[in-house]
């Protein structure tokens, strides 16, 4: 229920005048919520469930992904913001530093469900010791492999690669199956695809990718070189199709769907796509591995939820955020609709138990990371970012050490801005 102090004051006068009159129930409030387009379907499930059980209603407004940052920045300056906002989690540091979001530290720390949220979300939503949001509708990267090709190559279809060396070894055996069959695939000109699927292999191997400030070293640790060298070797040996070099993400998963790719990094969304589009394909899912057996990571993507400063119904908005972390919301709003929960304790839930591949993907959210960084677009997501330039120079030109050194220097310069 919304709280209106003016209404309460009027009722107070009435009670003094006639104590036998009971105060009427407060009127329900209507809240507004912005959500980016790519997270709209998942957000709608949660909002519909909330609206079905609460008198205070939430209306969703879908914002194109590439307009959300500018729209919130403009709205915050003009005092025209929604009561709630759901956006790409990677922009959380920039929004927190800009002062666009409401501090919800006390409410979150007092909520036992908040402690069960995947660490990647909690770390990213914390700035100078204060909490400004939490996980809402997750996505996560995984390693996917074609069991049919594994069988044909003499590999155990129930034993996916658990190290970088095994990826290389298995890719060679799968490539030997025929001229149009390839062992591995990645989108060589897609910066976002590679931060999502390639960087976790580096992180699993002990690397730190992006700097939180200009004092931190970017691309630190041997894992960066080890992964780039793996990709370079597989490229030089013809284990990756030549079309990968120019792929800007348009064919990120299309080649795997064709049944001619053995192994690749992808997102959890691919499971339902494959079951629908190529129902006869036998495929498996596992964590993205590192150099050593037992090392694994993932990139946690998706959306966070927060209360913008200037929200007209901030207390009800906070009630929604606490509710969306409840068992009801996580299971009936998300898992029931084949959407990953942001709470790690609910990865193996009643709705996922019949599909172990989805359980594995949900578990990846718990072991995953997301970089806490300002200027993510400049460092990673732009078509000319130092991140994608490093990958292209290292993998396709073979200049691994030089590519890393140049990317480090450029990332440091961006961090100083």
């Amino acid at each position: 229920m919304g709280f209106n102090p003016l209404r309460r004051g009027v009722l107070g006068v009435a009670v003094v005048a006639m104590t036998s009159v009971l105060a009427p129930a407060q009127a329900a409030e209507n809240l507004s919520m912005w959500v980016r387009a790519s997270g709209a379907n998942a957000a709608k499930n949660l909002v519909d469930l909330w609206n079905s059980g609460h008198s205070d209603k939430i209306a969703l407004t879908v914002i194109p992904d590439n307009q959300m940052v500018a729209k919130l920045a403009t709205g915050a300056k003009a005092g025209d913001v929604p009561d709630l906002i759901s956006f790409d989690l990677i922009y959380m540091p920039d929004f927190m530093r800009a002062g666009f979001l409401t501090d919800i530290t006390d409410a979150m720390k007092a909520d036992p469900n908040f402690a069960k949220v995947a660490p990647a979300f909690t770390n990213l939503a914390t700035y100078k010791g204060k909490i400004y949001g939490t996980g809402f509708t997750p996505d996560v990267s995984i390693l996917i492999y074609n069991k049919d090709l594994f069988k044909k190559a003499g590999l155990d279809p129930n034993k996916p690669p658990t190290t970088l060396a095994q990826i290389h070894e298995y890719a060679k055996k799968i490539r030997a199956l025929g001229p149009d069959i390839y062992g591995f695939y990645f989108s060589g000109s897609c910066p976002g695809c590679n931060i999502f699927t390639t960087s976790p292999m580096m992180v699993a191997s002990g690397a730190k990718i992006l700097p939180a400030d200009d004092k931190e070293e970017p691309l630190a640790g041997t894992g960066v070189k080890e992964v780039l060298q793996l990709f370079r070797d597989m490229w030089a040996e013809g284990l990756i199709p030549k079309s990968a070099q120019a792929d800007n993400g348009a064919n990120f998963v299309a080649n795997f769907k064709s049944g001619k790719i053995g192994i690749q990094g992808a997102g959890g969304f691919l499971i339902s796509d494959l079951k629908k589009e190529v129902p006869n394909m036998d495929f498996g899912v596992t964590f993205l591995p590192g150099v050593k057996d037992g090392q694994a990571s993932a990139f946690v993507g998706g959306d966070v939820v927060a209360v913008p400063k200037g929200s007209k119904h901030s207390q009800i908005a906070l009630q929604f955020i606490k509710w969306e972390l409840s068992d009801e919301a996580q299971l009936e709003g998300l898992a029931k609709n084949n959407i990953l929960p942001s709470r790690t304790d609910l990865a193996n839930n009643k709705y996922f138990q019949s599909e172990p591949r989805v359980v594995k993907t949900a578990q990846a959210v718990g072991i995953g990371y997301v970089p806490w960084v300002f200027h993510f677009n400049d460092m990673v997501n732009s078509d000319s970012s130092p991140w994608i330039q490093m990958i292209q120079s290292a993998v396709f030109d073979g200049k691994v050490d030089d590519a890393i050194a140049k990317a480090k220097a450029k990332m440091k310069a961006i961090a100083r801005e």
Side-chain angles (χ1 to χ4, degrees), residues 64-329:
D65 287 28
N66 61 0
Q67 295 179 21
M68 180 63 88
V69 174
K71 188 168 179 63
L72 179 58
T74 302
K77 292 174 183 176
D80 180 20
V81 296
D83 298 300
L84 285 152
I85 187 166
S86 167
F87 57 88
D88 187 340
L89 81 174
I90 202 65
Y91 297 115
M92 197 72 187
D94 292 303
F95 285 170
M96 291 187 295
R97 182 171 67 169
F100 292 163
L101 307 177
T102 301
D103 177 359
I104 59 173
T105 306
D106 292 342
M108 290 296 96
K109 287 190 173 180
D111 184 353
N113 288 328
F114 180 73
K116 303 169 186 174
V117 173
F121 284 115
T122 303
N123 294 340
L124 195 71
T126 303
Y127 179 55
K128 294 185 176 179
K130 301 293 185 181
I131 299 163
Y132 292 89
T134 190
F136 191 51
T137 53
D139 190 12
V140 71
S141 54
I142 41 88
L143 192 75
I144 198 157
Y145 63 101
N146 187 317
K147 287 189 173 185
D148 295 323
L149 294 181
F150 265 54
K151 293 172 190 173
K152 291 178 182 177
L155 298 168
D156 187 334
N158 297 313
K159 291 185 178 179
T162 57
T163 64
L164 300 183
Q166 283 185 351
I167 288 178
H168 194 177
E169 176 192 348
Y170 295 179
K172 286 180 182 178
K173 292 181 178 180
I174 292 167
R175 180 70 177 102
L177 294 175
D180 62 342
I181 304 295
Y182 290 87
F184 190 79
Y185 191 80
F186 78 113
S187 297
S189 291
C190 178
C193 306
N194 281 287
I195 198 70
F196 192 54
T197 61
T198 303
S199 76
M201 298 183 192
M202 299 173 177
V203 171
S205 303
K208 179 170 176 63
I209 308 301
L210 303 177
D213 54 44
D214 59 358
K215 298 178 182 63
E216 280 194 357
E217 182 75 7
L219 303 169
T222 58
V224 175
K225 180 175 180 178
E226 287 163 329
V227 172
L228 291 175
Q229 190 63 56
L230 166 70
F231 279 46
R232 170 59 188 175
D233 291 344
M234 291 194 295
W235 173 256
E237 294 166 17
L239 309 183
I240 302 168
K242 292 191 179 299
S243 60
Q245 184 170 4
D247 184 5
N248 62 2
N251 292 312
F252 179 42
V253 294
N255 288 313
F256 191 89
K257 290 178 181 179
S258 74
K260 296 182 178 181
I261 300 295
I263 305 165
Q264 81 163 78
F269 65 87
L270 187 54
I271 295 174
S272 57
D273 286 358
L274 289 171
K275 289 169 70 175
K276 180 180 178 181
E277 297 174 30
V278 279
N280 294 325
M281 179 187 288
D282 189 9
F283 66 94
V285 164
T286 191
F287 299 144
L288 288 156
V291 174
K292 299 176 182 177
D293 199 12
Q295 293 179 327
S297 188
F299 190 101
V300 178
D303 286 25
V304 288
V305 63
V307 182
K309 276 191 178 174
S311 165
K312 296 178 179 63
H313 302 99
S314 59
Q315 290 304 308
I316 306 173
L318 188 52
Q319 289 174 28
F320 173 80
I321 290 178
K322 293 175 72 173
W323 170 85
E324 70 94 7
L325 296 179
S326 68
D327 287 14
E328 177 193 14

Side-chain angles (χ1 to χ4, degrees), residues 42-85:
K44 185 176 185 301
N45 288 323
L46 284 170
V47 168
D48 285 350
L49 185 60
W50 164 276
N51 286 343
S52 70
H54 295 80
S55 57
D56 300 307
K57 307 301 182 186
I58 298 172
L60 276 181
T61 298
V62 179
I63 310 295
D65 287 28
N66 61 0
Q67 295 179 21
M68 180 63 88
V69 174
K71 188 168 179 63
L72 179 58
T74 302
K77 292 174 183 176
D80 180 20
V81 296
D83 298 300
L84 285 152
I85 187 166

